[in-house]
Amino acid sequence: MKTIPNGLPQDSASHWVPEVHLNLNVRGLKPSATVAINERSNKLLASGREIFKMGLGQSPFPVPEIVVEQLKKYAHEKDYLAVQGHWQLREAVCEHHRRTLNIDCDPKNIIIGPGSKELMFILQLVYYGDLLIPTPAWVSYAPQAQIIGRHIDFLPTKAKDGWRLTGDQLERLCQKDPGRPRILILNYPSNPTGMTYSAEHLREIAEVAKKYRIIILSDEIYGKLHHAGTHASITQFYPEGTIFSGGLSKWCGAGGWRLGLFVFPENLSWLLNAMTVVASETFTSTSAPIQYAAITAFKEHEEIEQYLHHSRRVLAGLGKHLASMLQKVNVQVLSPEGGFYLFPDFESYRPMLQAKGISTSVELCDQLLEDTGVAILPGVDFGQPPEELTARMAYVNFNGSKVLEQAFKLKDNATIDEQFLQRNCHEPLQAVERICDWLDAL
Ligand code: GLU
């Protein structure tokens, strides 16, 4: 079968799959790694295998009951809402971020979208600039830029620096071409490393960004899951050039609800307006019942504060414990500061792994899944060199409802110890034990 320039086959109009995908923007790209590992794990589970699902980063906790109640109440809301989002929700979002992060915002400068992922894509579409990505980084930033055709500058970070970008590193890159339009994506607490930035680190980066007029897309979707509850935002140090990105997915256990948001400073409203045009031509508006329910999520409620307090407490205790289990067997990994990820490096096992024919992170994760049933994602998916033996482990494979219930019963000053974890979130512990045994048997 021949292929004509538009990629359609010549000899039959009924063949919609061309042999040569000449005109695709997604050439060379695969479905998102996070989504793919989830589907692969589900298939293996369905085939009867015991699988520890630590691939997709999905909150283990249920949506707080008072938010679920609101969703039920507003299920009949059927009309399209404003492209930028329901006004009352934008007011609640504004009030929330003013209260919790001291962000000076206005409801007219907010856009609500079906997930912040979609909003990030639209931002890159409307802004003609290079994308700066400190790595390791979430799996979808770079592919989004590739689909749109933007130039990407990766800024590699190191475990010994807490996987953090420094002001000097940013300065060195910008010096090469000071006038270039650029967007820097900063994600903290970080997916995949679990590390975060202090106010001091952020101030340093903000100074350089200011100097070179870089737009910062501050992805703070895990901000409320800062384990100590002391998340700081770069909007404090560079308000005029920072777009804040957040949503319900991670802290409110509502990934599948698909609600994300961007908060713009007044002087970037031209960019928001451009995004709104694209939003109106693509998703129109975010699901109405979800937006009504989200109003309650962003309002101040003791129930939600308690929910967050205990979620953080469990994630902190579990993350620390899993990291120490790995450290004990000489796997390099930093104890996480926020969110629900670990980013171990299996370099010290390289000779033994090599003897088994494993020399890349993909081979490592494939073999691990095959031999132990533990599903984690290779470092290469997060922008690391293919031969680096790193991987991301999402420690979310436990029954969040049950664990929260037990955490609520614990005294506030009681620590989440191994006994609590063994009793209430056995699965991630068992998975890490399997990894340790596997390494031992190499
Ligand atoms: N952000 C989550 C992750 O990194 C899942 C959602 C997604 O990637 O779209 O696993």
Side-chain angles (χ1 to χ4, degrees):
M1 193 196 312
K2 284 202 192 103
T3 328
I4 55 173
N6 69 356
L8 292 175
Q10 221 167 21
D11 51 359
S12 162
S14 65
H15 284 82
W16 285 97
V17 185
E19 281 182 349
V20 183
H21 304 264
L22 289 174
N23 298 346
L24 289 178
N25 286 337
V26 293
R27 258 177 302 173
L29 294 174
K30 292 180 291 188
S32 174
T34 50
V35 180
I37 188 73
N38 194 39
E39 293 181 6
R40 186 172 167 196
S41 304
N42 287 343
K43 266 196 201 137
L44 288 169
L45 271 172
S47 74
R49 281 212 44 198
E50 183 186 24
I51 298 296
F52 297 86
K53 288 181 65 180
M54 303 179 99
L56 179 72
Q58 162 160 271
S59 165
F61 302 115
V63 178
E65 203 44 45
I66 80 172
V67 182
V68 173
E69 282 309 316
Q70 292 300 104
L71 185 60
K72 288 183 192 160
K73 182 169 159 200
Y74 288 102
H76 62 274
E77 286 295 339
K78 61 169 201 41
D79 289 349
Y80 294 110
L81 295 174
V83 179
Q84 273 182 244
H86 188 38
W87 184 259
Q88 256 176 284
L89 172 59
R90 284 190 273 154
E91 276 181 336
V93 165
C94 231
E95 198 268 323
H96 178 92
H97 289 95
R98 207 175 290 129
R99 170 167 55 85
T100 55
L101 292 173
N102 203 17
I103 298 181
D104 176 27
C105 62
D106 188 314
K108 74 177 188 338
N109 291 332
I110 288 178
I111 184 166
I112 308 292
S116 52
K117 192 172 183 174
E118 187 64 27
L119 295 177
M120 286 169 192
F121 185 73
I122 294 181
L123 173 67
Q124 293 187 52
L125 192 75
V126 299
Y127 186 74
Y128 193 87
D130 292 354
L131 197 67
L132 311 187
I133 309 179
T135 51
W138 176 50
V139 299
S140 292
Y141 300 134
Q144 285 194 350
Q146 281 155 7
I147 292 168
I148 297 168
R150 294 282 175 259
H151 174 76
I152 306 172
D153 280 313
F154 292 104
L155 292 153
T157 66
K158 296 191 178 67
K160 72 170 178 44
D161 301 327
W163 299 112
R164 285 181 205 101
L165 173 74
T166 63
D168 285 348
Q169 203 179 351
L170 187 59
E171 170 76 43
R172 279 196 297 278
L173 178 92
C174 295
Q175 263 172 5
K176 289 186 200 152
D177 188 352
R180 258 183 116 75
R182 296 175 166 110
I183 298 182
L184 166 68
I185 302 193
L186 215 56
N187 168 223
Y188 54 103
S190 153
N191 172 7
T193 70
M195 305 309 286
T196 196
Y197 290 84
S198 68
E200 240 356 270
H201 295 127
L202 294 172
R203 205 190 298 268
E204 192 187 303
I205 293 170
E207 255 169 48
V208 183
K210 226 180 254 209
K211 178 169 163 195
Y212 293 99
R213 302 167 64 89
I214 302 171
I215 291 177
I216 295 186
L217 176 64
S218 189
D219 182 356
E220 302 181 37
I221 193 103
Y222 298 94
K224 293 190 172 306
L225 297 182
H226 184 296
H227 293 170
T230 53
H231 174 69
S233 172
I234 198 160
T235 49
Q236 288 316 295
F237 308 113
Y238 185 38
E240 69 278 23
T242 303
I243 303 166
F244 172 94
S245 173
L248 284 188
S249 302
K250 309 303 178 186
W251 69 267
C252 197
W257 284 24
R258 310 309 300 130
L259 186 131
L261 60 97
F262 274 11
V263 180
F264 282 77
E266 177 66 31
N267 61 311
L268 292 183
S269 57
W270 52 273
L271 204 43
L272 168 62
N273 295 340
M275 280 185 65
T276 307
V277 171
V278 178
S280 77
E281 299 289 14
T282 52
F283 66 79
T284 308
S285 62
T286 303
S287 158
I290 299 291
Q291 291 201 51
Y292 280 97
I295 296 172
T296 297
F298 286 107
K299 288 240 165 100
E300 198 169 3
H301 289 287
E302 185 50 27
E303 188 177 330
I304 292 183
E305 290 308 319
Q306 284 300 312
Y307 164 91
L308 268 173
H309 170 73
H310 291 293
S311 303
R312 286 196 287 254
R313 200 172 172 209
V314 170
L315 293 174
L318 180 58
K320 202 166 162 211
H321 184 72
L322 297 178
S324 80
M325 286 174 77
L326 289 165
Q327 285 156 357
K328 271 190 198 134
V329 298
N330 210 16
V331 172
Q332 294 142 46
V333 62
L334 296 171
S335 199
E337 299 171 330
F340 36 63
Y341 302 110
L342 294 176
F343 199 65
D345 186 345
F346 296 85
E347 180 59 32
S348 50
Y349 285 86
R350 186 177 291 277
M352 291 79 104
L353 289 167
Q354 209 130 30
K356 259 197 127 194
I358 298 169
S359 53
T360 66
S361 58
V362 169
E363 288 163 357
L364 170 70
C365 292
D366 279 348
Q367 198 61 49
L368 202 61
L369 179 59
E370 182 57 35
D371 294 349
T372 67
V374 180
I376 57 177
L377 280 174
V380 70
D381 286 336
F382 301 86
Q384 298 304 92
E387 64 286 353
E388 185 186 278
L389 294 172
T390 48
R392 185 193 79 172
M393 184 181 288
Y395 55 94
V396 295
N397 55 329
F398 58 89
N399 180 338
S401 305
K402 179 183 138 197
V403 178
L404 268 192
E405 207 181 287
Q406 296 307 316
F408 267 90
K409 287 184 195 158
L410 271 187
K411 283 210 183 73
D412 244 3
N413 54 4
T415 45
I416 300 276
D417 57 12
E418 187 175 349
Q419 212 183 0
F420 177 93
L421 296 171
Q422 285 290 4
R423 215 173 320 115
N424 301 298
C425 25
H426 183 59
E427 301 87 338
L429 268 63
Q430 200 186 350
V432 172
E433 258 160 36
R434 291 235 179 148
I435 295 177
C436 296
D437 292 346
W438 184 78
L439 291 170
D440 190 43
L442 281 173

